[in-house]
Amino acid sequence: MSYVDGFVAAVPTANKEVYRQYAADAGAVFKEHGAVNFVECWGDDVPEGTLTSLPLAVQCKADETVVFSWITWPSKAVRDAGMASVMQDPRLQPENNPMPFDGKRLIYGGFEPIVEL
């Protein structure tokens, strides 16, 4: 069964195109290192809750938009090796390709699918 990395972040709304290009470039690198699928989604209907919500989780500001992303890998073993390679790839090093958002508010995790239809 596959393995999935999931991400939620707050991106300055004015940086939408910069972020889209950053994500497209990063996605190509992830796919070179074994990812099967790389998806970036720009928030369109993301309600702010009072107790919990995606905007609250990433401390989304009024001039920011929540993005939701995932990477699908063939297996956790491929993900572990691929992610290690991606982190060393010079194309994604901050000095070569700075993130167009506050990475300190990025939420991420790896997940084992339990239902795939």
Side-chain angles (χ1 to χ4, degrees), residues 2-112:
S2 61
Y3 194 78
V4 177
D5 282 313
F7 308 87
V8 180
V11 176
T13 303
N15 285 358
K16 182 177 182 179
E17 181 53 32
V18 172
Y19 182 80
R20 191 205 62 73
Q21 188 60 57
Y22 173 85
D25 293 344
V29 173
F30 276 91
K31 290 192 84 173
E32 284 179 27
H33 291 285
V36 173
N37 197 15
F38 184 95
V39 179
E40 292 281 345
C41 303
W42 191 258
D44 169 271
D45 183 15
V46 187
E48 188 167 328
T50 55
L51 183 59
T52 63
S53 69
L54 292 173
L56 286 172
V58 294
Q59 300 173 2
C60 192
K61 299 173 185 167
D63 63 343
E64 295 177 323
T65 300
V66 174
V67 297
F68 174 66
S69 313
W70 68 90
I71 305 169
T72 306
W73 303 87
S75 67
K76 187 172 190 306
V78 171
R79 178 268 201 167
D80 290 348
M83 192 62 84
S85 295
V86 165
M87 292 300 129
Q88 298 303 312
D89 194 300
R91 294 171 290 177
L92 295 185
Q93 296 304 307
E95 61 275 7
N96 299 331
N97 192 5
M99 293 187 296
F101 62 95
D102 182 359
K104 293 176 188 154
R105 292 184 285 143
L106 171 68
I107 297 173
Y108 59 90
F111 301 86
E112 177 185 330

